[in-house]
Amino acid sequence: MELPKYLTEIDGLGKYFVLNKGLLSKLYTGERILKAVDHVSFRIKKAQTLGLVGESGCGKSTVARLMTRLIEPDFGKVYFNGVDLFSLNDKKMREMRKNIQMIFQDPYTSLNPRKKIGAIIGMPLEIHFRMSREERRSRVMELLEMVGMGADHIDRYPHEFSGGQRQRLAIARALALHPDLVICDEPVSALDVSVQAQTLNLFRKLQDDLGLAYLFIAHDLSVVEHLSNDVAVMYAGKIVEIAPVEQIFGSPLHPYTQALITTREERKVRLRHAMKGEIISPINPPEGCRLQKRCPRCMPLCSDIEPELKDQGHEHFVACWNI
């Protein structure tokens, strides 16, 4: 039997938030809907990395939380090894979580400050594998060594470590259950540049050694280029371009992706200066393309009909009428 090519498939995923609640709702007329994630689709190959990039607030972290069912979607599907995650009951989803782990941006807030490292990393082992205390301690020491930490760190508290060390501890906890997919939500953005490089090299080594697949969320294009096999570009809740990393950085086709690349190359230029015009809010967005008021290639069709992702060849997909 042939195994599926893709480990994870996201199909038309969406999450809307109704904002007409609370004391401020009386200031507005009509229903206000934040379309945080709007019909997002992409695929992650086995043992490879998909980088997800875009400006802050475009919906990247919401996608990650939907994929792990930390929040429930309004529509769409997430398939993991061909299994629809949203069709699983609580018990089956709990079993599935062993295969899908998440690393957050701030390692300090994701590590319980009242518990020692051995207890933090060992807790998933106790819950899912029912390991004895001795077995857990042995496995935790193995995980610490795997991420470049010493076995003597097992009895320390999170506040005794630097930011880079805490992120390594968070990585060790994510690896405890032998996952196939690790979702990394801005995992190096809070670290110093030198520590970032060390952490990225660790991610790559672990992928080679363990056959991990990553969804790597970041706003730093250099980080994404270093680690990713494929890149998905997100704008205002929509995916506007997906392609292998060489094509994204070598020959981007979407105007927004081109602006991102230009901004990276001209470090003193901010994106809002590189692209003129009004930024469309994901709250009650207008019809048509969401980049229409900032796009230098905008034409009348862009204001009427929203473009869909279309294959331009060589696994390069773009949502733009003017390609």
Side-chain angles (χ1 to χ4, degrees):
M1 179 179 176
E2 184 179 357
L3 296 175
K5 179 180 179 182
Y6 299 101
L7 178 68
T8 304
E9 299 185 61
I10 313 302
D11 184 15
L13 193 61
K15 182 65 180 180
Y16 297 170
F17 297 94
V18 179
L19 303 182
N20 291 61
K21 297 179 181 179
L23 296 176
L24 296 179
S25 62
K26 296 180 181 179
L27 299 177
Y28 303 95
T29 58
E31 190 173 44
R32 300 175 69 241
I33 299 177
L34 170 61
K35 296 185 177 182
V37 176
D38 194 7
H39 294 89
V40 164
S41 300
F42 58 80
R43 297 169 176 177
I44 303 175
K45 298 174 183 177
K46 291 176 178 290
Q48 292 195 9
T49 301
L50 174 70
L52 182 59
V53 302
E55 293 173 272
S56 297
C58 70
K60 303 187 300 295
S61 294
T62 304
V63 169
R65 284 157 174 76
L66 288 168
M67 290 177 63
T68 53
R69 285 189 62 180
L70 293 178
I71 57 176
E72 296 293 323
D74 291 317
F75 51 84
K77 302 288 185 180
V78 174
Y79 296 98
F80 183 82
N81 272 332
V83 177
D84 178 8
L85 296 186
F86 301 132
S87 68
L88 302 179
N89 58 31
D90 290 343
K91 181 179 179 180
K92 291 183 178 179
M93 186 62 205
R94 180 177 175 181
E95 287 295 314
M96 186 63 75
R97 288 190 195 280
K98 291 188 294 187
N99 302 310
I100 308 170
Q101 292 292 301
M102 190 164 176
I103 300 170
F104 298 91
Q105 177 178 357
D106 186 351
Y108 190 73
T109 57
S110 67
L111 301 175
N112 190 334
R114 297 183 178 182
K115 291 186 177 294
K116 294 181 178 180
I117 295 306
I120 293 173
I121 300 177
M123 184 175 294
L125 300 172
E126 181 181 7
I127 293 173
H128 289 277
F129 295 148
R130 305 294 184 184
M131 285 185 175
S132 67
R133 184 175 180 178
E134 293 74 17
E135 290 173 329
R136 293 199 306 273
R137 188 174 182 86
S138 176
R139 173 60 176 162
V140 170
M141 293 174 69
E142 178 185 340
L143 289 164
L144 288 174
E145 293 178 0
M146 190 181 298
V147 298
M149 303 288 286
D152 58 318
H153 294 150
I154 194 170
D155 292 317
R156 298 185 186 180
Y157 291 92
H159 73 269
E160 299 181 67
F161 298 92
S162 67
Q165 289 175 319
R166 286 197 292 265
Q167 195 60 290
R168 286 174 180 263
L169 296 172
I171 294 170
R173 182 179 58 182
L175 298 179
L177 301 178
H178 307 284
D180 295 316
L181 172 66
V182 179
I183 299 174
C184 309
D185 189 4
E186 301 274 9
V188 298
S189 62
L191 306 179
D192 294 337
V193 175
S194 60
V195 180
Q196 281 188 11
Q198 296 171 9
T199 307
L200 290 174
N201 289 335
L202 175 61
F203 276 116
R204 184 177 291 278
K205 181 179 185 301
L206 292 171
Q207 184 173 52
D208 293 338
D209 293 345
L210 304 176
L212 297 171
Y214 294 132
L215 172 65
F216 202 92
I217 298 171
H219 62 268
D220 188 331
L221 294 182
S222 298
V223 169
V224 171
E225 184 179 20
H226 176 74
L227 197 64
S228 302
N229 301 101
D230 301 292
V231 178
V233 181
M234 196 168 182
Y235 179 76
K238 307 284 291 188
I239 298 291
V240 297
E241 186 166 5
I242 303 176
V245 63
E246 298 84 2
Q247 295 182 42
I248 286 289
F249 288 93
S251 56
L253 298 179
H254 196 279
Y256 179 68
T257 309
Q258 293 171 351
L260 286 177
I261 302 299
T262 300
T263 304
R264 184 187 71 152
E265 295 173 350
E266 301 173 9
R267 299 186 178 214
K268 295 182 180 179
V269 179
R270 292 182 179 272
L271 182 60
R272 60 174 174 267
H273 295 149
M275 298 198 74
K276 305 296 183 181
E278 178 185 349
I279 300 176
I280 291 179
S281 170
I283 301 174
N284 294 344
E287 298 292 329
C289 176
R290 295 189 182 181
L291 194 68
Q292 58 185 269
K293 294 186 178 181
R294 304 176 74 188
C295 181
R297 304 206 302 257
C298 184
M299 54 187 184
L301 180 62
C302 302
S303 302
D304 298 330
I305 304 174
E306 185 175 337
E308 297 180 354
L309 281 171
K310 291 187 177 180
D311 189 356
Q312 305 297 318
H314 306 288
E315 297 188 317
H316 196 151
F317 296 83
V318 185
C320 181
W321 290 117
N322 202 347
I323 298 294

